[in-house]
Amino acid sequence: MNAQKRYEIFSRLRDNNPTPTTELDWQTPFELLTAVLLSAQATDVGVNKATARLFPIANTPQGILDLGIDGLKDKIKTIGLYNSKADNLMKTCHLLLERHGGEVPDTREALEALPGVGRKTANVILNTAFGQPTMAVDTHIFRVANRTRIAPGKNVLEVEQKLMRHVPKDFLHDAHHWLILHGRYTCVARKPRCGSCVIEDLCEYKEKTEIG
């Protein structure tokens, strides 16, 4: 895929959704970090239901610690893997208070030093909370990048690196949100909805469907 085609793809995605953002509910960087930590193998809808119970009671590191591990688990028990997620969140809150004055750090190294925070989560926080041009490659982005041939790669890191190189700078800040939403609602895993896709004529997927 050439640069001109990539530019047109992201132009159309932007025209279709000028201000994309995460579907997780959050107000502060710590709320976003908490929501992302809870979102592994869970839907955004499910996470939002849990954080709607949690955040009015505890939405700071100290607030989570004051709630206690049992109290935290009770608020998030509707989410899969909630026991391990609660443990990681409690440990993260301790480290945020010990190392960062209770604030979420804005560097990759500091974020990835927190329990449960890997590269993808760090990229989400850096981009969504702090406005940095990063690419958080999840299963949706990995699929869309490979299927469309925008940035084909054998693994998540390769796709991330190619996207960072090939996405035009004008679109880099919002690109990962556009690609996630495109993969979630249009370029879905089993039967992509090519018939209603705004970039169908630019996409290089060879097995297009007529599904709208």
Side-chain angles (χ1 to χ4, degrees):
M1 180 173 289
N2 61 41
Q4 182 179 358
K5 188 179 283 188
R6 288 192 187 94
Y7 194 92
E8 178 62 24
I9 284 173
F10 284 101
S11 293
R12 292 188 192 178
L13 293 175
R14 179 176 63 185
D15 291 344
N16 193 55
N17 184 4
T19 55
T21 189
T22 178
E23 294 185 319
L24 293 169
D25 294 334
W26 66 285
Q27 296 295 323
T28 67
F30 179 73
E31 287 188 356
L32 178 63
L33 175 60
T34 299
V36 176
L37 284 174
L38 297 178
S39 68
Q41 300 181 44
T43 65
D44 288 355
V45 171
V47 172
N48 288 339
K49 288 180 179 178
T51 56
R53 296 189 296 270
L54 175 65
F55 288 160
I57 298 168
N59 68 340
T60 64
Q62 190 60 59
I64 296 290
L65 293 177
D66 290 344
L67 193 60
I69 187 67
D70 291 335
L72 175 58
K73 288 180 179 181
D74 182 64
K75 297 300 179 187
I76 66 170
K77 63 186 178 182
T78 54
I79 298 176
L81 307 175
Y82 74 93
N83 283 310
S84 60
K85 291 176 181 180
D87 290 338
N88 280 334
L89 182 53
M90 294 294 279
K91 293 173 183 175
T92 287
C93 289
H94 278 294
L95 288 180
L96 289 176
L97 288 166
E98 291 173 4
R99 299 179 182 177
H100 306 288
E103 299 297 322
V104 176
D106 60 359
T107 67
R108 179 185 304 283
E109 182 180 17
L111 284 167
E112 290 188 12
L114 299 171
V117 177
R119 185 177 183 87
K120 183 180 75 172
T121 296
N123 280 335
V124 172
I125 304 304
L126 292 172
N127 179 273
T128 306
F130 298 115
Q132 297 183 26
T134 61
M135 195 66 60
V137 178
D138 67 352
T139 56
H140 297 299
I141 292 184
F142 186 80
R143 179 175 66 254
V144 171
N146 275 287
R147 184 182 275 169
T148 62
R149 312 305 289 174
I150 291 172
K154 295 179 181 178
N155 55 58
V156 167
L157 183 59
E158 186 179 353
V159 168
E160 177 188 334
Q161 291 171 338
K162 284 190 175 182
L163 285 169
M164 292 300 293
R165 286 200 306 271
H166 295 314
V167 173
K169 290 184 179 180
D170 292 356
F171 307 104
L172 195 53
H173 177 265
D174 291 321
H176 100 264
H177 288 306
W178 285 317
L179 294 174
I180 286 173
L181 293 171
H182 192 66
R184 186 172 287 171
Y185 297 111
T186 302
C187 197
V188 295
R190 293 186 179 180
K191 293 183 179 179
R193 301 185 176 106
C194 302
S196 60
C197 176
V198 297
I199 62 168
E200 180 187 8
D201 58 314
L202 301 168
C203 169
E204 296 181 1
Y205 183 49
K206 295 181 179 179
E207 300 176 27
K208 292 177 183 174
T209 72
E210 296 182 1
I211 299 172

